[in-house]
Amino acid sequence: MLRSRTMKPRRWNVAPADERARELADRLRCSAVVAQVLLNRGLVETDDCQSFLQPNLRCLLEPSLIPGLTEGAACVARAIRDKKPIVIYGDYDVDGITATAILWHAIRMLGGDVRYYIPHRVDEGYGLNTDAIRQLAAEGAKLILTVDCGVTAIEPADVARELGVELVISDHHEWKESLAEGEYPIPLLPNATAIVHPRLPCHNPYPNPHLCGAGVAFKLAWGIGQAISGASRVNETLKSFLIEAMALAALGTIADVVPLVGENRILAHFGLGGLKKSKLTGIRALIASAKLDGQNIDSYHVGFLLAPRLNACGRMGHARLAVEMLTDATEERAIEIATYLESQNRQRQSTERSILERALEQIEQLQMIENGWRAIVVGDREWHAGVIGIVASRLVDRFHRPTIVVGLGDEIGQGSGRSVDGFHLSRALQAVTHTLESHGGHEMAAGLKVLPANFEAFRQAFVAHVNETLDPTLMIPELRLDCDADLKHISEALVHDLARLGPFGRGNPRPVILCRNLSLTAAPRKVGKTGDHLQLYVKQNGAVMKAIAFGAGSLFEKLREGTIVNLACLPQVNEFNGYRSVELEVKDLQIVE
């Protein structure tokens, strides 16, 4: 059976107090807590801090700085002018779905003859495939434009060239490499008309290497508009759409868990603001299905409510329905699809729970943790290939080590992996490529195909490689705390100031505050259906505050009135019956002996 949710022990990493915080706070007219968080993010200069607190669209980088974008945009612009049939070849996850929608709208707006193609996750797998290229060519496609995929598609690119189809690749994933020509890796890239990729080796590297697929698509749409107009400015119609399209880019950026810093943070900030008032029929239907109408939408809503609905379609069925909702669906059809996505998401949740339970049993049977495995590799013939990536994420959360989950199938197994910060998963798979049929991805997430007969050989080779190369300290969960604060300093104004540091995500986590030497005013109270959570009241120097500790039920017997604790917490405002109060969400708890 699945274990109850418990608060996991973690190593606390408390940022040292910076003597510059008070001076910075005075310059910015903010609290010392906020100033300390900014310093922790590497922001020292006043102008940089102001830009962080008040993102500006003028800080978006010029599209032409992305390697290959000028050539790719010119190619698409020629196809638009010449009325050549264009097919956008997308991916089936949120990043690929939103990237497809951005370019479909932009190319249509510029007068192009365009449609989209999304491969089936289970039947076709990730990325470009030769059968799809042949099919699209036979149907009259003259230009295939990939989004969120294609940089490893060497054979499909050759097939496209043989068939006389231009291929423009826009991607952000890892490419294949060869060591055959020397000591240093040599990129192996498809023979495409253009490759648009923010990390391609070039003389002037793109300042934002962590752009996601939807971010690349946004920049490419902008660049195509420039190529059509023959100037650095785009026409007013496209300009208005690009502002609207940041909502789509934000969905992809947050869902793909790229660092929310620099340009990514600008896209996420303005995109989240645009979701609430979006004019796109599909976005309105998606928001309504999640019961978020009229609400201010933040990265939590995207990550846990909106993105799972879009992803569910590709995991349990076919992602082209989600693309249809965000592109050419009528209002009635968009609502119909959004309702269907909701049912698919519920089915996904049920399937996920079942696979997770089986995976935990397999981990226990093989005694992976007890035997010191630094990686987890599990697989089963009955596991749904569309859900295994989420299960891999759940297992990483639980065991904090690189994890591969494989749905073995009858003829070919499809696997999905997730990593921990500091360990490059895609390169690890490259090291055991001899056991695989194919693989691709990036540092934190990857996919693979393996013959069922080779699964055990892959498992042994991958675990051996990780055991040899993974720094064991990376397996110790670390909780980073931004600063110390007394209860008397935690106010509604501070909560508001901290919110200005968002949107939060990878690279810009929600600030965690350390409150030391708090005394419990009474014994804790168990809350939640299964009593997994604790409600506490803590006091310090006369200030009293309510706290909720999710997953801390196992500590119930150790806590009583007068117990002294240190809390790693998130201050938040709770509103009930018109009364507003500041409360603490406890991320971790230490009992002071």
Side-chain angles (χ1 to χ4, degrees), residues 431-451:
V432 296
T433 188
H434 61 282
T435 65
L436 301 171
E437 297 303 294
S438 64
H439 62 87
H442 46 78
E443 182 175 358
M444 296 300 294
L448 60 89
K449 290 185 179 180
V450 61
L451 293 174

Side-chain angles (χ1 to χ4, degrees), residues 280-282 284-285 325 328-338:
L280 294 176
T281 301
R284 292 203 308 269
M325 181 182 70
D328 53 354
T330 63
E331 183 175 356
E332 182 179 3
R333 175 62 174 159
I335 293 171
E336 179 185 345
I337 294 173

Side-chain angles (χ1 to χ4, degrees), residues 329-583:
T330 63
E331 183 175 356
E332 182 179 3
R333 175 62 174 159
I335 293 171
E336 179 185 345
I337 294 173
T339 303
Y340 175 72
L341 295 185
E342 171 63 21
S343 67
Q344 290 285 85
N345 194 41
R346 287 196 296 269
Q347 183 183 345
R348 186 271 303 169
Q349 291 169 333
S350 175
T351 304
E352 175 197 329
R353 285 193 293 269
S354 174
I355 295 176
L356 178 58
E357 185 172 325
R358 295 274 297 278
L360 290 170
E361 291 172 357
Q362 196 171 129
I363 291 167
E364 187 172 341
Q365 289 168 1
L366 295 175
Q367 296 185 314
M368 295 182 187
I369 309 304
E370 292 81 356
N371 290 332
W373 292 20
R374 295 183 185 177
I376 290 172
V377 181
V378 290
D380 192 281
R381 290 185 180 275
E382 297 181 3
W383 290 352
H384 194 299
V387 182
I388 52 179
I390 308 176
V391 175
S393 294
R394 299 283 185 265
L395 294 175
V396 171
D397 288 343
R398 189 169 297 220
F399 299 108
H400 213 71
R401 59 199 72 201
T403 299
I404 307 286
V405 181
V406 182
L408 287 169
D410 294 322
E411 298 181 0
I412 192 74
Q414 295 193 42
S416 188
R418 300 293 185 269
S419 192
V420 294
D421 283 332
F423 186 79
H424 203 298
L425 185 58
S426 181
R427 291 175 186 165
L429 291 176
Q430 181 66 31
V432 296
T433 188
H434 61 282
T435 65
L436 301 171
E437 297 303 294
S438 64
H439 62 87
H442 46 78
E443 182 175 358
M444 296 300 294
L448 60 89
K449 290 185 179 180
V450 61
L451 293 174
N454 290 343
F455 172 69
E456 194 56 44
F458 161 68
R459 172 151 59 190
Q460 293 180 15
F462 183 78
V463 171
H465 174 75
V466 176
N467 282 353
E468 184 178 327
T469 58
L470 177 68
D471 183 341
T473 62
L474 298 180
M475 296 190 300
I476 303 173
E478 180 182 80
L479 181 61
R480 297 182 181 181
L481 289 81
D482 281 279
C483 64
D484 286 69
D486 293 335
L487 285 187
K488 65 181 180 181
H489 295 140
I490 298 178
S491 62
E492 189 170 338
L494 176 62
V495 175
H496 173 75
D497 278 351
L498 289 172
R500 294 175 61 202
L501 299 166
F504 301 112
R506 186 181 171 209
N508 184 39
R510 190 176 296 276
V512 181
I513 308 300
L514 172 58
C515 295
R516 301 179 189 266
N517 298 317
L518 308 182
S519 173
L520 299 190
T521 63
R525 185 166 71 90
K526 286 188 176 184
V527 295
K529 292 181 180 179
T530 57
D532 287 341
H533 318 308
L534 296 181
Q535 179 180 286
L536 314 169
Y537 280 91
V538 293
K539 66 179 179 180
Q540 181 191 59
N541 297 326
V544 178
M545 194 166 289
K546 180 180 175 183
I548 180 75
F550 294 107
S554 60
L555 298 175
F556 180 77
E557 300 296 335
K558 299 179 181 180
L559 299 172
R560 57 185 59 86
E561 182 180 353
T563 300
I564 306 299
V565 296
N566 296 332
L567 299 184
C569 54
L570 304 174
Q572 57 189 11
V573 174
N574 181 48
E575 186 167 359
F576 183 72
N577 286 339
Y579 176 73
R580 296 167 63 87
S581 62
V582 178
E583 298 180 356

Side-chain angles (χ1 to χ4, degrees), residues 98-329:
T98 52
T100 300
I102 289 169
L103 281 166
W104 183 89
H105 282 289
I107 292 173
R108 289 259 299 190
M109 199 167 289
L110 293 168
D113 175 5
V114 62
R115 62 189 181 94
Y116 52 82
Y117 181 90
I118 309 294
H120 191 280
R121 181 188 288 264
V122 176
D123 296 342
E124 297 176 82
Y126 170 78
L128 276 175
N129 67 80
T130 55
D131 289 342
I133 294 288
R134 295 185 188 280
Q135 174 189 329
L136 294 173
E139 293 170 353
K142 296 301 180 185
L143 170 64
I144 295 176
L145 169 58
T146 77
V147 292
D148 198 33
C149 66
V151 77
T152 62
I154 294 173
E155 182 184 354
D158 292 339
V159 170
R161 189 168 288 272
E162 291 170 7
L163 296 173
V165 177
E166 287 191 286
L167 177 64
V168 173
I169 291 171
S170 74
D171 201 353
H172 72 118
H173 292 96
E174 296 290 329
W175 50 82
K176 294 181 179 179
E177 293 180 335
S178 172
L179 292 172
E181 297 183 30
E183 182 180 350
Y184 298 101
I186 305 298
L188 296 177
L189 299 173
N191 189 11
T193 306
I195 300 177
V196 184
H197 195 300
R199 286 185 289 110
L200 279 186
C202 63
H203 295 299
N204 297 302
Y206 188 60
N208 178 20
H210 301 296
L211 206 58
C212 71
V216 175
F218 175 85
K219 287 304 191 70
L220 182 54
W222 183 354
I224 294 168
Q226 291 174 323
I228 289 288
S229 67
S232 60
R233 292 181 177 270
V234 300
N235 64 48
E236 287 300 318
T237 302
L238 184 63
K239 179 181 177 181
S240 296
F241 167 70
L242 289 173
I243 294 173
E244 179 83 26
M246 280 191 284
L248 291 166
L251 287 172
T253 296
I254 294 168
D256 219 49
V257 201
V258 294
L260 291 183
V261 297
E263 186 175 48
N264 288 346
R265 186 166 181 275
I266 295 172
L267 288 172
H269 172 85
F270 286 99
L272 287 171
L275 281 169
K276 179 179 179 180
K277 53 188 178 183
S278 177
K279 298 175 184 176
L280 294 176
T281 301
I283 286 183
R284 292 203 308 269
L286 178 67
I287 289 172
S289 73
K291 297 179 173 57
L292 295 174
D293 301 78
Q295 294 188 38
N296 292 322
I297 296 174
D298 61 21
S299 52
Y300 169 83
H301 298 118
V302 170
F304 292 93
L305 296 176
L306 300 181
R309 285 168 164 77
L310 290 174
N311 260 330
C313 193
R315 295 185 187 282
M316 308 306 297
H318 203 304
R320 63 170 174 257
L321 280 175
V323 178
E324 179 188 347
M325 181 182 70
L326 295 175
T327 53
D328 53 354

Side-chain angles (χ1 to χ4, degrees), residues 24 28 30 33-44 48-50 52-53 482 501:
L24 182 61
L28 296 174
C30 68
V33 170
V34 171
Q36 178 67 57
V37 175
L38 290 168
L39 290 168
N40 295 347
R41 303 290 187 268
L43 300 164
V44 178
D48 293 337
C49 293
Q50 292 286 16
F52 190 89
L53 293 171
D482 281 279
L501 299 166

